Amino acid sequence: METVKYKKDAEEIDGSFLHVEEANEDEGNITYVLRWVVRDYARIVAGIYYRCHYISIGKSIHNLRILKHDTKVRDFRDRKLYCILLGLTPATSCAKISFVLIGSRNREIQPENKGVLQHILDRRCFYEFSESYLPTEHLDLVAVCKITAAKSIRVGVGIEKSTILQDFECLYGSGLLSDVKLCVGDREFDAHKVVLAARSPVFAAMLRNKMKENSENRIEVEDSNETAVGELLRYLYAEKTIPLTIDLALDLFELADKYDIQTLKSETANYLRCNFSVENILDILVAADLHDEKQMKKEAIEFIADNLWCLLKTPKWKTFRTRLELVDCILAYLS
């Protein structure tokens, strides 16, 4: 393959989402599984070097990178064939990095690992895939990045500019100097008024004014569960949660909207948008409509329209079809 020449200054790409799917511990190491989705892959221009998302490994900060490269080869229809280069830069010696591309029917595509990139000193930080492996039924690029590091090496998505979140995480669940309780069912969580008020305008209003919650130092959280409320608190203190599932993301999405925590609402919405399936899409559409998440609602309707015949056979559709306004939205999109 010819040497690739590209812009040295990588361009930021929007419409890219990244979340930690799971973290598995084995023999003193932890493997973090990150799902990366780039919406509308067709807008990626060949020869331009894109960057997105910061990942911290130990004390170093790394970027996810993507480059679309013209292979100078054409298919039987005389269409250009491209390769996709995915990577994490700069290269790291304290963790093992791997990428797979998710193809049709969620099939994992292993990298081909060919080619040379000019200006890149360490080829190991990039992985090459043929564009022909991308699913033809949609225009999203979906990849999984695995990072394996010793337990002593901290791995996180985003840049930690100080230890303040780590310090506040120590307060989470410790009960130290707590002055208010969040109650869900029979479970009570110790919390601090100043943290709740700083992170949520709704909590701030409750605790600032002469309301029942302020006078009794108790906040009753209705229509939720222990796990979701516990992770809501973890996010308020440390701006992170345990690895999300669809059910937990839906619960946190609802709580984030209820208590006006916009960053958490955005993060859970991005997770849900990355994980549409026939099994969960109706629940996601209902949540998007109820909590006024217009973009997620739009994308959910498009997904439903593309998979309508499969959905019509599911038990959930029998319940969903009573939501006439949402059914009308789907029919309007199809017409």
Side-chain angles (χ1 to χ4, degrees):
M1 179 181 292
E2 296 180 4
T3 299
V4 179
K5 295 182 179 180
Y6 60 92
K7 286 187 174 183
K8 280 190 175 182
D9 296 327
E11 295 187 7
E12 294 281 357
I13 182 171
D14 56 6
S16 177
F17 307 103
L18 181 72
H19 67 268
V20 180
E21 280 196 328
E22 54 185 285
N24 302 313
E25 185 175 339
D26 181 38
E27 297 181 353
N29 294 327
I30 299 179
T31 298
Y32 300 85
V33 181
L34 283 65
R35 190 176 184 87
W36 179 20
V37 178
V38 178
R39 296 292 190 200
D40 191 13
Y41 169 77
R43 64 199 165 91
I44 301 293
V45 178
I48 295 183
Y49 190 34
Y50 296 93
R51 69 170 181 266
C52 57
H53 306 296
Y54 290 97
I55 297 176
S56 58
I57 303 176
K59 296 181 179 180
S60 301
I61 302 299
H62 307 262
N63 269 135
L64 284 174
R65 309 276 178 147
I66 180 171
L67 175 67
K68 180 178 178 180
H69 173 56
D70 186 353
T71 63
K72 309 300 182 184
V73 177
R74 293 182 178 270
D75 65 9
F76 68 96
R77 295 180 181 176
D78 200 35
R79 296 177 303 186
K80 283 186 176 182
L81 291 178
Y82 295 90
C83 69
I84 306 163
L85 292 159
L86 304 178
L88 187 70
T89 60
T92 176
S93 59
C94 62
K96 181 180 178 181
I97 312 295
S98 67
F99 283 84
V100 294
L101 193 66
I102 305 301
S104 299
R105 300 178 181 177
N106 286 322
R107 183 166 63 101
E108 291 191 354
I109 309 299
Q110 299 299 324
E112 298 176 4
N113 280 330
K114 297 178 181 177
V116 178
L117 294 181
Q118 187 176 346
H119 308 306
I120 292 183
L121 299 179
D122 192 340
R123 181 64 183 81
R124 294 174 302 164
C125 61
F126 273 83
Y127 298 81
E128 180 187 17
F129 304 86
S130 172
E131 189 182 48
S132 61
Y133 289 128
L134 285 176
T136 57
E137 62 267 21
H138 58 76
L139 295 176
D140 295 345
L141 182 149
V142 183
V144 171
C145 173
K146 293 183 180 180
I147 302 175
T148 301
K151 289 175 63 177
S152 59
I153 297 175
R154 184 178 178 84
V155 177
V157 175
I159 302 176
E160 294 185 4
K161 296 182 178 179
S162 71
T163 62
I164 187 168
L165 292 181
Q166 298 175 43
D167 297 337
F168 270 92
E169 189 176 6
C170 293
L171 287 177
Y172 167 70
S174 70
L176 178 65
L177 302 177
S178 64
D179 53 5
V180 66
K181 293 183 182 294
L182 261 67
C183 308
V184 54
D186 297 327
R187 178 71 187 274
E188 295 183 346
F189 292 90
D190 292 321
H192 302 80
K193 291 182 178 180
V194 66
V195 175
L196 300 186
R199 302 285 276 151
S200 161
V202 176
F203 283 137
M206 288 180 181
L207 300 171
R208 184 185 300 116
N209 301 319
K210 295 180 179 179
M211 299 179 68
K212 176 183 176 181
E213 290 82 0
N214 193 22
S215 60
E216 297 183 0
N217 296 324
R218 291 174 60 86
I219 299 175
E220 298 287 344
V221 182
E222 300 178 352
D223 302 321
S224 192
N225 58 74
E226 292 182 17
T227 301
V229 173
E231 292 309 308
L232 172 71
L233 275 176
R234 188 194 306 274
Y235 187 87
L236 294 180
Y237 280 81
E239 208 160 89
K240 67 179 183 180
T241 68
I242 60 175
L244 293 174
T245 63
I246 291 295
D247 289 339
L248 179 56
L250 284 168
D251 290 338
L252 286 175
F253 178 71
E254 180 179 348
L255 288 172
D257 186 60
K258 180 177 181 179
Y259 294 111
D260 195 13
I261 306 165
Q262 292 302 313
T263 53
L264 178 59
K265 184 178 180 182
S266 176
E267 289 181 24
T268 51
N270 286 342
Y271 174 88
L272 294 169
R273 291 164 66 190
C274 290
N275 288 276
F276 287 170
S277 71
V278 171
E279 291 74 23
N280 63 41
I281 193 63
L282 296 178
D283 293 331
I284 292 175
L285 175 58
V286 170
D289 180 62
L290 184 61
H291 300 289
D292 196 31
E293 188 67 24
K294 292 182 174 61
Q295 184 61 30
M296 186 164 74
K297 179 179 177 180
K298 176 178 176 292
E299 293 178 10
I301 289 172
E302 292 173 355
F303 183 92
I304 290 170
D306 291 340
N307 297 273
L308 187 57
W309 290 113
C310 294
L311 285 162
L312 291 175
K313 302 173 185 177
T314 64
K316 282 187 177 181
W317 181 263
K318 294 179 180 179
T319 304
F320 174 81
R321 66 186 181 185
T322 61
R323 297 179 176 273
L324 299 181
E325 290 186 5
L326 290 178
V327 172
D328 285 345
C329 290
I330 296 169
L331 294 176
Y333 178 82
L334 288 169
S335 61

